[in-house]
Amino acid sequence: MKRRVTQITAKSNVTSYVEINISNLKQNAIKLKEIAPAGIKTMAVVKANAYGHGAALVSHALSDSVTALGVASVEEAINIRNSGVILPILVFAPPRPGNVADYKTYNLVATVGSFDELGMMSSSMSFHLEFDTGMGRLGFDPDEWPEIHSRLQSNSLKPSGVMTHFASADAPDSTKVSDQLSRFEKLLENMGDWKKGKVIHASNSGGLLFYPEAAYSLVRFGLAVYGYLPSDTHKIDDLKPVLSWKSCVSACKPLRKGETVSYDANWTAPKDGWLVVVPVGYADGIRRGLSNKIEMSVGGNKIKQVGNVTMDYTMLFSDKPFETGEEVVILGDEAMQADEWAALLDTIPYEILCGIHPKIERRPVS
Ligand SMILES: *Cc1c(COP(=O)(O)O)cnc(C)c1O
């Protein structure tokens, strides 16, 4: 295999970067739109720095592929707006007295799930009503609808949408989802004609993939647009991971049989070989629990990671030497994927992806 030496050694302060495959990202969005029932609008969820992919970068790239963006906080929304994105942005967090003015300044859509929050809205503000149908987090109780309705009328407030969020849509045939759906259906029935023209939405990635009947007028996908599935029991071949995390060899030196590597000396070389040092550690997002369990790719070769991951460095053991500066793929196509790391840590790919430190540069590639 041809040797590839990265350019990152030329910039002395850069030890790793994240590549974002823009064509995979766009194709995933198109694929998900095809999966959704005809005529359904799509929202890309770009909270937590777009699941670690770079919020402004992803928002721009998807501007022609989705109808709206969803974020966790006003700060995230402002950051995306200031980067020049004009799509509608729905903020999932409750509005607060200290930031309610920002919604108007930056043309953001609020999510309102309590009477206090409703009290902060004015007739010129755009907002959706959120109902807690069983997620057990934010939102009105569906039984509060009559009271909500009268407050809306007396204050001339006009929400543009109605939403709920599923607790267990990451697997098919969940009774929890059907329970939530029947509560949501009952609420919509009670709303009668009032709901006409409103954007109605419930589904995240799992909802879209496994509960097409819950698509309503819009679906909010996060994980799936980044190329991962919320459940490893169901594969959709056309979704492709978007992110690769790359670095380069910091040092490579001979390691003798019997020598140990890293803190706690819990790995001993079974034979003579080469120690490859990669300048990325748990401070950057390689969780220490992965120590001695993963592989990375160096110059196109899969190499075993050995010894404890340290704060700023991770070590590999190789049969052959590599040059300083040779490309290392930490996570992504040639190495392991985020769902494989997640399985080793007994967690979900979401946590791996958004755990990649935001200080690391995100670079678009097509
Ligand atoms: C995070 C989030 C989503 C997206 O969930 P995925 O499982 O990543 O598709 C959708 N809606 C809300 C309210 C969310 O908080």
Side-chain angles (χ1 to χ4, degrees):
M1 184 144 199
K2 196 173 135 261
R3 289 217 151 172
R4 293 163 308 169
V5 177
T6 60
Q7 299 134 5
I8 69 177
T9 43
K11 286 194 194 176
S12 60
N13 57 341
V14 176
T15 54
S16 78
Y17 62 94
V18 168
E19 261 180 20
I20 300 302
N21 186 319
I22 300 293
S23 50
N24 283 4
L25 179 67
K26 287 185 175 178
Q27 277 166 26
N28 290 344
I30 290 166
K31 178 72 195 168
L32 292 168
K33 206 179 163 87
E34 284 169 8
I35 290 172
I40 299 296
K41 292 178 178 157
T42 54
M43 171 186 290
V45 178
V46 293
K47 65 197 182 194
N49 198 28
Y51 294 43
H53 292 63
L57 180 61
V58 167
S59 300
H60 275 278
L62 292 179
S63 278
D64 297 330
S65 317
V66 298
T67 9
L69 299 170
V71 295
S73 70
V74 169
E75 289 70 27
E76 291 176 341
I78 292 174
N79 167 40
I80 292 167
R81 198 50 98 219
N82 281 341
S83 78
V85 170
I86 57 171
L87 285 177
I89 304 177
L90 179 67
V91 178
F92 297 144
R96 293 287 173 240
N99 67 19
V100 74
D102 291 332
Y103 286 81
K104 277 197 194 172
T105 311
Y106 294 95
N107 189 20
L108 311 176
V109 184
T111 301
V112 166
S114 75
F115 288 108
D116 279 351
E117 293 154 35
L118 197 56
M120 290 177 225
M121 296 296 107
S122 64
S123 54
S124 62
M125 284 184 70
S126 175
F127 64 98
H128 292 194
L129 293 174
E130 181 174 19
F131 289 89
D132 191 344
T133 56
M135 170 64 190
R137 198 169 63 175
L138 298 168
F140 287 105
D141 185 319
D143 291 341
E144 292 175 308
W145 168 246
E147 173 67 14
I148 298 165
H149 190 220
S150 71
R151 295 258 197 123
L152 293 175
Q153 287 191 313
S154 52
N155 295 300
S156 310
L157 298 174
K158 294 186 187 64
S160 49
V162 176
M163 65 184 279
T164 192
H165 191 48
F166 293 130
S168 310
D170 49 358
D173 305 321
S174 151
T175 53
K176 180 74 193 173
V177 172
S178 49
D179 198 54
Q180 286 193 255
L181 261 179
S182 59
R183 284 207 219 173
F184 196 51
E185 283 293 320
K186 192 169 153 243
L187 169 70
L188 293 172
E189 202 181 296
N190 290 339
M191 287 177 167
D193 281 349
W194 180 88
K195 66 177 176 292
K196 277 197 181 140
K198 307 277 188 283
V199 187
I200 297 171
H201 49 117
S203 285
N204 55 2
S205 297
L208 166 62
L209 298 170
F210 308 134
Y211 303 89
E213 71 277 20
Y216 296 103
S217 48
L218 176 142
V219 290
R220 312 182 298 261
F221 47 68
L223 193 70
V225 85
Y226 306 108
Y228 288 97
L229 289 179
S231 150
D232 53 13
T233 55
H234 284 70
K235 296 264 178 264
I236 294 180
D237 293 337
D238 299 339
L239 292 180
K240 295 197 182 101
V242 169
L243 177 149
S244 301
W245 188 5
K246 296 186 174 178
S247 181
C248 63
V249 173
S250 258
C252 182
K253 56 187 192 177
L255 193 70
R256 291 275 165 76
K257 179 179 176 178
E259 288 183 316
T260 68
V261 171
S262 193
Y263 291 118
D264 302 338
N266 64 13
W267 186 86
T268 306
K271 57 183 179 183
D272 289 356
W274 297 85
L275 181 73
V276 180
V277 183
V278 181
V280 181
Y282 59 77
D284 303 279
I286 304 182
R287 295 261 300 273
R288 192 170 174 278
L290 293 170
S291 298
N292 291 302
K293 293 181 180 165
I294 55 174
E295 287 181 328
M296 294 183 186
S297 167
V298 187
N301 309 270
K302 275 207 175 180
I303 309 284
K304 190 177 149 43
Q305 188 279 318
V306 297
N308 279 339
V309 173
T310 73
M311 193 180 284
D312 303 299
Y313 295 96
T314 299
M315 278 65 83
L316 316 175
F317 180 69
S318 166
D319 288 335
K320 60 177 185 180
F322 291 100
E323 282 169 42
T324 302
E326 183 122 23
E327 182 179 88
V328 177
V329 181
I330 298 169
L331 185 68
D333 280 342
E334 297 166 37
M336 293 171 77
Q337 297 290 9
D339 50 354
E340 296 176 283
W341 279 20
L344 290 170
L345 290 164
D346 198 16
T347 184
I348 51 178
Y350 300 74
E351 196 183 3
I352 303 297
L353 293 170
C354 69
I356 303 174
H357 203 289
K359 76 181 178 189
I360 299 166
E361 185 192 344
R362 270 64 175 173
R363 291 186 191 171
V365 292
S366 49

